[in-house]
């Protein structure tokens, strides 16, 4: 694992930290590949329930490392795209914990996660257009899916950032914190990790993929995600724990 990315496990949650504070956590190819490797670990280890992606030194990610770009390097993973996560997602949930700036590819990386917790003073933006570039890591595509078109156009065409409170109002952010964003992210991760792991994976898959499904084919497309859930040991344990008024003990099967 690259020293540009730190990985730790805390209470069943994989915490992945972009560790280039001297460069505002600008993304390099090695960091992107390390994040992708961490996401593979998230899916591979049954004791891990979800992940938090954050940045060291009070900044989430300021986008592509321009020095590397000028030398011909693109900060992408062959499967996961920018930051190892913008064109692929693990089966388990990923929470972005955003302090400081999430700009350009950094904003796209945050949006590639499933949920976002941000410090109240954090800022989000895709300023690529100010440098003659295009937000090609998903920003120009995702914004009009998340916002009314005029608002998406304004953010994309001006390149100006918005604050976390405005992002919360627009539904781009789940929660904001007055302290470090990772504190709120850990709280949210804990709520997710307490649930049935098979059900969490299936539910993320449905929420992520179902916007492509024709209404008349919803059940047909959903069945492969849930067919094994209702006959699982976890489903029986969840019902039993409810009846016995205790916390369930999940087995992931």
């Amino acid at each position: 694992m690259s020293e540009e990315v730190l990985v730790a496990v805390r209470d069943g949650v994989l915490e992945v930290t972009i560790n280039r504070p001297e460069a505002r956590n600008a993304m390099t190819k090695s960091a992107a590949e390390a994040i992708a490797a961490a996401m593979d670990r998230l899916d591979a280890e049954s004791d891990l329930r979800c992940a938090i992606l954050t940045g060291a030194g009070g900044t989430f990610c300021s986008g592509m490392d321009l020095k590397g770009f000028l030398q011909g390097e693109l900060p992408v993973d062959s499967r996961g795209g920018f930051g190892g996560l913008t064109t692929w997602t693990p089966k388990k949930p990923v929470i972005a914990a955003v302090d400081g700036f999430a700009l350009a590819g950094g904003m796209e990386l945050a949006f590639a996660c499933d949920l976002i917790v941000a410090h109240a003073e954090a800022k989000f933006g895709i300023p690529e257009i100010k440098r003659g570039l295009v937000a090609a890591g998903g920003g120009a595509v995702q914004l009009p899916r998340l916002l009314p078109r005029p608002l998406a156009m304004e953010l994309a065409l001006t390149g100006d950032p918005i604050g976390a409170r405005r992002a919360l109002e627009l539904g781009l952010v789940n929660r904001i914190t007055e302290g470090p964003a990772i504190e709120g992210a850990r709280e949210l991760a804990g709520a997710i990790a307490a649930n049935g792991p098979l059900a969490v994976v299936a539910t993320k898959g449905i929420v992520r993929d179902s916007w492509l499904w024709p209404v008349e084919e919803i059940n047909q497309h959903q069945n492969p995600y849930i067919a094994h859930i209702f006959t699982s040991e976890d489903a029986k344990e969840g019902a039993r724990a409810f009846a016995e008024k205790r916390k369930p003990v999940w087995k992931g099967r």
Side-chain angles (χ1 to χ4, degrees):
M1 188 67 67
S2 168
E3 291 185 359
E4 293 184 344
V5 174
L6 304 178
V7 179
V9 176
R10 178 188 175 106
D11 298 328
V13 178
L14 191 70
E15 297 187 355
V16 183
T17 304
I18 307 166
N19 188 39
R20 304 190 71 231
E22 74 288 349
R24 287 190 171 184
N25 297 322
M27 187 60 59
T28 64
K29 183 173 182 61
S30 62
E33 291 173 344
I35 292 171
M39 296 303 145
D40 283 335
R41 177 182 174 185
L42 172 66
D43 273 350
E45 297 185 14
S46 59
D47 289 343
L48 298 176
R49 302 302 174 81
C50 62
I52 295 172
L53 178 63
T54 191
T59 292
F60 181 70
C61 175
S62 58
M64 176 172 64
D65 185 287
L66 294 179
K67 292 180 180 178
F69 172 71
L70 291 174
Q71 295 173 1
E73 177 186 280
L74 292 177
V76 301
D77 169 73
S78 59
R79 176 195 59 192
F82 180 90
L85 198 57
T86 56
T87 59
W88 172 88
T89 187
K91 294 179 180 179
K92 299 174 186 177
V94 182
I95 303 168
V98 178
D99 297 293
F101 295 99
L103 298 177
M107 179 172 172
E108 293 169 325
L109 187 58
F111 284 175
C113 296
D114 301 296
L115 306 103
I116 301 176
V117 177
H119 185 274
E121 300 303 320
K123 294 189 180 301
F124 298 81
I126 47 173
E128 285 92 336
I129 203 163
K130 295 178 181 288
R131 300 291 179 264
L133 300 172
V134 174
V141 174
Q142 292 296 338
L143 277 176
R145 293 176 177 174
L146 297 170
L147 296 173
R149 183 176 294 175
L151 290 175
M153 280 290 189
E154 180 178 349
L155 290 176
L157 295 180
T158 66
D160 293 337
I162 60 171
R165 296 187 190 280
R166 179 58 172 157
L168 182 68
E169 292 173 355
L170 294 174
L172 296 174
V173 167
N174 294 84
R175 303 179 182 184
I176 58 175
T177 64
E178 298 299 329
I182 197 166
E183 294 177 359
R186 284 170 176 162
E187 180 181 349
L188 186 55
I192 293 169
N195 296 326
L198 295 179
V200 166
V201 168
T203 300
K204 170 178 171 171
I206 293 168
V207 172
R208 276 267 183 171
D209 298 343
S210 60
W211 67 276
L212 292 170
W213 300 345
V215 172
E216 65 275 11
E217 298 177 9
I218 285 177
N219 287 337
Q220 172 187 338
H221 287 286
Q222 180 176 258
N223 284 341
Y225 293 79
I226 64 173
H228 63 294
I229 297 296
F230 291 92
T231 58
S232 68
E233 290 184 34
D234 277 356
K236 296 173 184 175
E237 167 63 8
R240 189 179 300 115
F242 177 80
E244 296 173 0
K245 296 181 171 59
R246 59 173 176 81
K247 290 184 178 180
V249 179
W250 306 117
K251 296 181 179 179
R253 56 180 189 269

